[in-house]
């Protein structure tokens, strides 16, 4: 049966803008900075939340946000997402509304995430029902993943001040780690939500193989939970992990790898999913 996917607009906005600066030598010049903007989300004409975003793929961001907040079960619940940058608004139209939306969005939890700020409901609700796939990764594949990120052209390289996230699938080969989607935004939560929206729009069978999620940001409880909700069993970060992030990873059986740069890394949880090859770390 063909899945019923939502119609998405294709709103685009400049990702950077130039501003005049003065450097330590008193010299004037122009540099690029990220073009942060606000996007207010309306669901069936009801104002839901305002997100601060780079605006690279706003429709996928909104769709992924609704999925990761567990306000919808799948992309098929949404008829359309229309973004209009003239009024900085995203209009979401669902097929049958969102059940108990006022009750479910009444309680907000302030988060550690930049670019988002709060999530709805209980963070830990339902995580015991998450069943992760039996994904395993070789150390050589981890190195291939980190190298792919290093070579990726990005807004961060030209303007800085953004977080990057990527979804990889693991191939059968020794060093295969295929980047499927790369997203940057002013906050890591926006980036992971956009990837969640991208996954939801893919045809069945498109993402074969084990999934690995990469982020430049720290692994907080929210990031770990969102990764697990996306069917990701291995998460890699350039940064570290928080205590609650570690507890959640251990509880759901997720492999959490941090401080991943060049050939260095620290596996905080789920080491049984990582096939170690320590000889590769030698000079």
């Amino acid at each position: 049966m063909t899945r019923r996917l939502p119609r998405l607009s294709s709103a685009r906005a400049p990702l950077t803008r130039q501003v005049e600066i003065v450097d330590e030598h008193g010299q004037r010049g122009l540099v690029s900075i990220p073009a942060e903007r606000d996007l207010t989300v309306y669901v069936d004409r009801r104002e839901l939340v305002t997100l601060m975003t780079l605006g690279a793929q706003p429709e996928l961001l909104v769709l992924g946000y609704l999925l990761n907040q567990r306000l919808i079960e799948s992309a098929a619940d949404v008829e359309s997402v229309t973004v209009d940058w003239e009024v900085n608004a995203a209009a979401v139209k669902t097929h049958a509304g969102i059940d108990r939306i006022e009750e479910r969005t009444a309680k907000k939890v302030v988060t550690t995430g930049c670019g988002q700020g709060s999530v709805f409901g209980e963070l830990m609700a339902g995580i015991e029902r998450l069943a992760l796939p039996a994904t395993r990764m070789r150390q050589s594949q981890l190195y291939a993943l980190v190298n792919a990120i290093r070579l990726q052209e990005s807004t961060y390289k030209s303007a800085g001040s953004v977080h990057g996230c990527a979804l990889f699938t693991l191939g059968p080969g020794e060093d295969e780690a295929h980047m499927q989607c790369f997203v940057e935004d002013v906050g890591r939560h926006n980036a992971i939500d956009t990837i969640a929206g991208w996954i939801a729009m893919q045809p069945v069978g498109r993402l074969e193989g084990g999934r690995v999620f990469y982020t430049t940001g720290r692994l907080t409880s929210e990031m770990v939970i969102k990764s697990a909700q996306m069917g990701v069993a291995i998460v890699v970060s350039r940064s570290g992990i928080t205590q609650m992030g570690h507890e959640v990873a251990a509880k759901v059986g997720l492999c959490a790898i941090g401080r991943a740069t060049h050939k260095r890394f620290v596996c905080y949880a789920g080491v049984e999913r990582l096939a170690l090859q320590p000889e590769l770390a030698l000079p």
Side-chain angles (χ1 to χ4, degrees):
M1 183 180 295
T2 303
R3 288 189 304 158
R4 180 175 56 178
L5 294 177
R7 299 188 309 275
L8 305 181
S9 61
S10 299
R12 294 295 178 265
L15 302 184
T16 62
R17 61 169 296 184
Q18 286 196 322
V19 296
E20 187 177 273
I21 55 91
V22 178
D23 66 16
E24 68 275 14
H25 302 292
Q27 300 295 317
R28 294 184 179 273
L30 294 175
V31 299
S32 294
I33 60 173
E36 181 183 17
R37 48 182 61 84
D38 58 290
L39 180 65
T40 301
V41 180
Y42 297 85
V43 178
D44 297 325
R45 300 191 178 186
R46 179 185 186 278
E47 184 175 337
L48 181 66
V49 68
T50 296
L51 304 173
M52 302 306 298
T53 176
L54 200 63
Q57 301 177 73
E59 296 85 5
L60 295 180
L61 166 61
V62 171
L63 181 61
Y65 179 84
L66 296 176
L67 285 165
N68 279 337
Q69 297 299 321
R70 303 175 193 169
L71 294 174
I72 59 174
E73 293 294 325
S74 72
D77 294 339
V78 176
E79 180 179 326
S80 63
V81 180
T82 305
V83 173
D84 185 350
W85 284 124
E86 289 190 4
V87 292
N88 286 31
V92 179
K93 185 176 182 182
T94 66
H95 289 288
I98 295 177
D99 185 42
R100 300 181 295 108
I101 186 170
E102 292 191 7
E103 175 187 338
R104 294 164 68 184
T105 59
K107 181 178 180 180
K108 290 188 178 182
V109 180
V110 177
T111 76
T112 58
C114 47
Q116 180 167 297
S118 64
V119 296
F120 298 114
E122 296 293 339
L123 286 175
M124 305 294 287
I127 67 167
E128 68 279 353
R129 296 192 298 271
L130 293 174
L132 297 181
T135 307
R136 296 191 80 241
M137 179 173 65
R138 301 181 185 92
Q139 189 167 330
S140 58
Q141 291 174 313
L142 172 60
Y143 287 163
L145 179 155
V146 171
N147 189 56
I149 292 293
R150 181 180 65 85
L151 298 175
Q152 175 70 29
E153 289 298 321
S154 64
T155 301
Y156 179 82
K157 290 180 180 179
S158 63
S161 304
V162 296
H163 276 293
C165 292
L167 181 73
F168 288 81
T169 53
L170 302 176
E174 180 76 14
D175 301 322
E176 291 187 64
H178 306 292
M179 186 186 294
Q180 301 291 341
C181 181
F182 178 80
V183 175
E184 290 179 302
D185 213 315
V186 293
R188 63 189 187 278
H189 283 283
N190 286 349
I192 193 174
D193 286 349
T194 302
I195 289 178
W198 181 85
I199 291 174
M201 294 296 292
Q202 301 311 299
V204 176
R206 164 73 171 77
L207 297 174
E208 295 293 337
R211 300 177 186 179
V212 180
F213 176 73
Y214 174 89
T215 177
T216 56
R218 60 194 177 275
L219 299 177
T220 61
S221 57
E222 312 101 285
M223 293 295 285
V224 172
I225 290 171
K226 287 182 178 183
S227 298
Q229 288 179 167
M230 299 188 321
V232 173
I234 301 175
V235 176
V236 180
S237 171
R238 190 174 66 189
S239 186
I241 195 169
T242 66
Q243 176 184 344
M244 195 168 180
H246 182 268
E247 291 174 356
V248 174
K251 187 169 185 176
V252 301
L254 180 141
C255 179
I257 298 171
R259 304 296 181 188
T261 57
H262 304 292
K263 291 190 175 183
R264 296 183 177 183
F265 65 89
V266 175
C267 184
Y268 296 103
V271 69
E272 65 276 3
R273 293 185 180 273
L274 181 61
L276 292 168
Q277 299 166 288
E279 68 277 6
L280 298 180
L282 297 173

